[in-house]
Amino acid sequence: MDSFYHSTRSLLEPVTSKQAILAGIAPDGGLYVSDGVLASPLDLEPLWAGDYPSRARRVLGHLLPDFTEQEVAGCVRRAYGDTFDDPAVTPVTPVGDDWLLELFHGPTSAFKDVALQMLPQLMGQARAGDGRDVMIVCATSGDTGKAALAGFADVEGCGVCVFYPDGKVSDVQHLQMATQAGGNVAVYAVRGNFDDAQGEVKRIFADRDLAVRLAGEGVFLSSANSINVGRLVPQVVYYLDAYAQLLERGAVAMGDEVDFYVPTGNFGDVLAGYYAKRLGLPVGRLHVCSNANDVLCDFLATGTYDRRRPFHKTISPSMDILVSSNLERLLYFASDGDCELVASLMADLAEKGAYTVPAPVMDAIRSTFSGGRATDDECRGTIRRTWERDGVLLDPHTAVAKTVLDAQEPQGRARVVLATASPYKFPAEVLAALGEDVAGLDGFAAMDRLAALTGTEPPAPLSALRDRAVRFTEVVDRDAMGAAVERAAGAVFPAGA
Ligand SMILES: *Cc1c(COP(=O)(O)O)cnc(C)c1O
């Protein structure tokens, strides 16, 4: 089996999965993919009898072939040992005749934890024997930043520097990041939107002069964004795990296809479902569910990806994204590994802000993926209806996917909505959807009201935020982000230390 990883834009310079995880992004700006590990089938049979950690060990061992069995086992134990507040890690629960895959039981109450509790472990293992320190640089639309901070805080030899769009994350998300503890963390608000911050982070990674200056201090940069292989791979696990849970519940028989509805931003989560399908899981359709920033829906309908459009601030801010980076990986696989095509499409995106995919490649994509969209008002209606009818409280991101599902007739297949955040991360929006007046309520008052109204409980780490002091208040312009990274690296790794 060819177990190497290479850029989506070139077959040259193959690397191991450890090297890919440390680098984050390929030197040519492409994303790391492996042809071999997805082409060789995973024996699924042993997965059904196990539990989440045993499934994680098998899937990670397969997708990261240069990690030893012991290395993977240690990473899984440290990442999922006692960090999630549900013994199933990602429990599947009923909602009406359908299912929710609850991905928000980790320390920061969003699905990003599943990957970001694991990534520091994988990096730690990949770094072993490398004398250098690693500075994680991360742009966030709200949830990745906190999950990265929680995953990397006080991890030996690592620092983490997070940028979020000023004023465009929820109260709770802001406090989660601004109060982060740890001697190796830095948090900055950026004037602009998520795409501005992500675009600048990509430029920082490509900045050779900066890399040389940092190398002089024994530091290199890496990414905790979902472009990192180490972010993507842990997410494949819960698709397989969800299938195992449905089997246990008798909701599917072995071999039955299951449809997944995925609230989508950067296309990482839904791409992991595609990886699970490539590994042999009976996945029916993957529904790419968008809010008003519906560039992916338009892409699936027309074959043209066009980012030249207004940016909408919605009640599902973690999906307010116009450039879905991980789509590049799907283009690679759907074109049967045509690096030249991928490179030219990405050049079009950079130069013109748009690209058009050849018809056969679109056919391949559409054979698995469907697009669906939901407005904020539709999502509010879904939150209210799902609470009143099914007694299940959804967060606004999950509501996007549930809205798309509710608009479709069931096709006889089991349907699973990926629940990506706790409703308590967005308590004011959820309360408003339930018809409450939220004028003047801050995040904590909203949490209390939501708990009193619904008889549900906020996750403990979110309630605890109210007692924590704000540590980070700095707002920077986009063109000052590179300097901020350098300052943070200097503070975390003082020269000669
Ligand atoms: C990040 C995020 C998403 C989008 O996931 P992608 O992998 O970027 O598509 C959806 N919901 C929530 C709550 C998120 O934090």
Side-chain angles (χ1 to χ4, degrees), residues 111-112 143 263-269 318-319 397 420-421:
F111 92 98
K112 305 288 196 302
D143 290 328
T264 305
N266 227 344
F267 208 77
D269 201 2
S318 301
M319 298 159 61
H397 302 76
T420 50

Side-chain angles (χ1 to χ4, degrees), residues 109-112 141-144 173 226 231 235 238 262-271 296 316 318-319 321 324 326 395 397-398 418-422 425-426:
S109 307
F111 92 98
K112 305 288 196 302
S141 55
D143 290 328
T144 299
Q173 288 176 315
S226 62
R231 273 283 302 277
Q235 298 182 173
Y238 52 69
V262 189
T264 305
N266 227 344
F267 208 77
D269 201 2
V270 72
L271 184 75
L296 285 165
S316 41
S318 301
M319 298 159 61
I321 288 175
S324 293
N326 270 299
D395 98 284
H397 302 76
T398 310
L418 274 63
T420 50
S422 160
K425 266 196 119 154
F426 308 92

Side-chain angles (χ1 to χ4, degrees), residues 42-285:
L42 173 66
D43 179 10
L44 298 181
E45 193 53 40
L47 293 179
W48 310 135
D51 55 6
Y52 195 94
S54 71
R55 289 168 193 143
R57 286 195 296 273
R58 286 197 79 84
V59 174
L60 294 179
H62 185 84
L63 293 174
L64 307 173
D66 52 312
F67 283 76
T68 68
E69 229 172 276
Q70 289 90 327
E71 286 174 343
V72 169
C75 289
V76 168
R77 183 161 24 79
R78 290 187 294 272
Y80 304 128
D82 55 1
T83 52
F84 282 65
D85 70 11
D86 191 292
V89 182
T90 58
V92 172
T93 57
V95 55
D97 294 331
D98 302 298
W99 303 93
L100 276 188
L101 171 53
E102 297 185 1
L103 301 173
F104 52 77
H105 289 275
T108 77
S109 307
F111 92 98
K112 305 288 196 302
D113 287 326
V114 181
L116 279 164
Q117 287 295 305
M118 176 56 75
L119 181 65
Q121 307 307 332
L122 297 174
M123 275 201 180
Q125 208 65 66
R127 267 184 79 244
D130 182 322
R132 298 171 303 161
D133 295 316
V134 56
M135 189 74 196
I136 303 296
V137 181
C138 168
T140 181
S141 55
D143 290 328
T144 299
K146 175 61 186 183
L149 290 163
F152 281 99
D154 291 331
V155 171
E156 183 62 31
C158 296
V160 51
C161 184
V162 167
F163 297 96
Y164 67 89
D166 189 30
K168 297 191 177 65
V169 299
S170 83
D171 260 8
V172 176
Q173 288 176 315
H174 165 246
L175 277 177
Q176 280 187 303
M177 292 187 277
T179 61
Q180 175 66 44
N184 64 341
V185 301
V187 178
Y188 299 95
V190 181
R191 291 185 193 90
N193 61 34
F194 170 72
D195 291 298
D196 296 327
Q198 176 167 256
E200 184 61 12
V201 164
K202 283 186 182 166
R203 194 205 59 75
I204 288 170
F205 282 125
D207 184 337
R208 299 280 161 163
D209 294 338
L210 175 62
V212 168
R213 283 199 301 278
L214 289 171
E217 308 292 323
V219 177
F220 69 99
L221 298 181
S222 189
S223 160
N225 278 111
S226 62
I227 51 176
N228 194 310
V229 171
R231 273 283 302 277
L232 185 58
V233 161
Q235 298 182 173
V236 179
V237 178
Y238 52 69
Y239 283 90
L240 294 135
D241 185 78
Y243 197 86
Q245 292 188 59
L246 291 173
L247 279 173
E248 278 163 28
R249 287 170 168 273
V252 298
M254 186 63 73
D256 288 353
E257 289 192 339
V258 173
D259 292 343
F260 291 93
Y261 292 77
V262 189
T264 305
N266 227 344
F267 208 77
D269 201 2
V270 72
L271 184 75
Y274 176 75
Y275 274 40
K277 186 178 170 82
R278 298 274 301 225
L279 291 178
L281 188 73
V283 173
R285 296 205 68 75

